[in-house]
Amino acid sequence: MSELPLLAEKLDAADELAPLRDRFVLDDVVYLDGNSLGALPAHVPGRIEDVVRRQWGELRIRSWEESGWWTAPERIGDRIAPLVGAAPGQIVVGDSTSVNVFKALVAAVRMAGEDRTEILVDATTFPTDGYIAESAARLTGRTLRAVTPAEVPGLLGDRTAAVLLNHVDYRTGRLHDLPGLTAAVHAAGALAVWDLCHSAGALPVGLDEHGVDLAVGCTYKYLNGGPGSPAYLYVRGALQDRFDSPLPGWNSHADPFGMSPAYTAAPGAPRGRVGTPDILSMLALEAALEVWDGVSLTAVRAKSLALTDFFLRCVAEYTAPGRTESVTPGRHEERGSQIALRCPDAGEVMKRLVERGVVGDFRHPDVLRFGFTPLYVGFRDTERAARILAEVLA
């Protein structure tokens, strides 16, 4: 009999993050899809009931001031800041990731100057980033070149305006070298824009430490903000007075209630705002972020790597050789917080896994994705998922 179930129990018993599981609404399902939609923090429904019944129902329009609705985008941005290694005053919450990619990339090109005529984009990126980059290139009169992150240093030059990269590849879970690539982009005189959707909340990012210019990210994956929760935009403090948003809405005006026909940008992070904030989902996110109180990102990263290592070990022991192939890098410095396995019948396999209480997801044409959220996934969950996967594959 395998020793892995007993080892899983021992690892769970020694896990300093294990008590955090009680902060979430969970059941007997092994939920390994937090890299698509994080689990519900248990206190969020009560908080949203207060927002709806009291703040909206009783205070109504007074809540813009009395309940802090107007300042929510910056306030919540400051809650996210330590999770991505940023000082306060550099992140604003609102809009979708796609909209924020557009704002960040066009603003980066404008800051780079007219003589820089090319944008580089991660060819393996999540599709929306590629779509937005293509549109931004057309609108700014630049050319667009799709390249792999590994090719970026060799293709940078004095024509490069901006480079848009994903920190973690959504399909394979590969972690790209944010410090090294950012330094290479800066050495060429260009600006670096990073998409943090699959890294924020799963591992340390270090935006300030590594001099990242602009970054965007969603909040419904490892940050557990809820379906469609608003994204965020990071603008490094030193660049904020030059940040020229392509979407200058009334919420980013220096005097939004002056109703002036002429636009004057607000100082600081509010320049990234556009229109009226989506208050209900934004305040659900604010409540959800409280699960991070007292949590060490170093511990989160250590557990993430331990979980993914353990999963690979279990899959190797339980599964017939050659039945699956990991496309996630084995080296820790190249791995995010998910494991992607290739198998020919991946779509059908995932359906059968879900039926048996193991929830991951399928990516066309042949990839099974399993996301490991250290705040609520344990080692027994991991062993069970690998064991059931082997039974389904058999």
Side-chain angles (χ1 to χ4, degrees):
M1 182 176 178
S2 173
E3 65 176 5
L4 294 176
L6 181 59
L7 177 57
E9 291 186 16
K10 290 180 178 179
L11 291 169
D12 277 338
D15 176 18
E16 64 178 288
L17 299 181
L20 298 177
R21 186 183 180 99
D22 293 338
R23 299 183 184 182
F24 294 88
V25 176
L26 295 165
D27 49 27
D28 291 335
V29 167
V30 179
Y31 189 65
L32 300 181
D33 211 4
N35 53 330
S36 286
L37 176 65
L40 171 67
H43 66 282
V44 168
R47 190 70 56 81
I48 291 305
E49 182 177 12
D50 176 72
V51 171
V52 172
R53 292 186 180 278
R54 183 182 65 85
Q55 296 182 29
W56 179 15
E58 297 175 18
L59 296 179
R60 292 177 288 274
I61 201 165
R62 291 163 51 195
S63 274
W64 284 105
E65 180 176 350
E66 294 180 27
S67 300
W69 287 2
W70 185 261
T71 57
E74 295 79 50
R75 183 177 71 245
I76 302 171
D78 285 345
R79 288 296 300 264
I80 293 173
L83 300 178
V84 292
Q90 299 177 101
I91 294 179
V92 65
V93 173
D95 305 311
S96 67
T97 303
S98 300
V99 172
N100 283 318
V101 169
F102 179 75
K103 287 186 272 185
L105 191 56
V106 172
V109 170
R110 289 175 173 177
M111 285 188 278
E114 291 297 325
D115 58 331
R116 291 185 172 265
T117 58
E118 184 175 73
I119 300 170
L120 301 183
V121 63
D122 182 351
T124 63
T125 188
F126 190 78
T128 195
D129 286 16
Y131 306 155
I132 294 294
E134 184 179 5
S135 177
R138 291 200 310 270
L139 288 168
T140 59
R142 268 60 174 184
T143 59
L144 180 69
R145 192 192 308 196
V147 301
T148 67
E151 293 173 323
V152 166
L155 296 174
L156 293 164
D158 57 9
R159 294 178 56 246
T160 310
V163 183
L164 172 61
L165 294 164
N166 272 247
H167 197 190
V168 173
D169 186 285
Y170 81 100
R171 185 182 291 106
T172 66
R174 176 179 290 275
L175 172 65
H176 296 301
D177 180 11
L178 181 146
L181 288 169
T182 300
V185 171
H186 288 167
L191 285 87
V193 182
W194 284 92
D195 182 329
L196 310 178
C197 285
H198 287 268
S199 59
L203 52 93
V205 176
L207 292 179
D208 286 354
E209 177 185 359
H210 302 302
V212 169
D213 300 302
L214 301 113
V216 304
C218 65
T219 60
Y220 45 78
K221 301 184 192 304
Y222 296 107
L223 298 183
N224 310 295
S229 56
Y232 57 91
L233 169 67
Y234 164 90
V235 181
R236 182 157 56 92
L239 297 178
Q240 288 177 358
D241 61 349
R242 297 171 54 206
F243 180 82
D244 182 8
S245 175
L247 297 173
W250 77 286
N251 258 235
S252 62
H253 197 285
D255 181 18
F257 293 99
M259 302 302 169
S260 169
Y263 181 75
T264 302
R271 284 191 179 207
R273 294 174 68 152
V274 182
T276 304
D278 40 356
I279 290 299
L280 297 183
S281 59
M282 191 167 288
L283 296 187
L285 166 63
E286 182 174 35
L289 289 170
E290 292 176 13
V291 301
W292 289 95
D293 290 348
V295 175
S296 161
L297 269 177
T298 301
V300 168
R301 176 59 170 164
K303 183 178 176 182
S304 164
L305 293 171
L307 286 168
T308 49
D309 279 344
F310 188 59
F311 183 68
L312 289 172
R313 177 179 173 182
C314 291
V315 170
E317 179 166 323
Y318 290 156
T319 306
R323 189 64 178 88
T324 66
E325 174 196 0
S326 176
V327 295
T328 302
R331 298 177 64 210
H332 286 179
E333 57 268 36
E334 296 179 353
R335 188 194 306 167
S337 198
Q338 74 178 52
I339 295 295
L341 301 177
R342 178 175 288 131
C343 70
D345 47 350
E348 182 60 31
V349 168
M350 185 53 68
K351 289 179 183 177
R352 294 174 63 192
L353 283 173
V354 172
E355 291 170 358
R356 295 193 56 182
V358 176
V359 177
D361 66 17
F362 160 68
R363 284 294 178 265
H364 184 80
D366 58 358
V367 172
L368 301 168
R369 290 197 321 169
F370 301 96
F372 292 83
T373 305
L375 299 190
Y376 54 77
V377 174
F379 292 90
R380 279 174 289 189
D381 298 323
T382 302
E383 185 275 333
R384 178 183 164 196
R387 180 164 30 87
I388 294 174
L389 171 62
E391 292 169 2
V392 168
L393 290 174

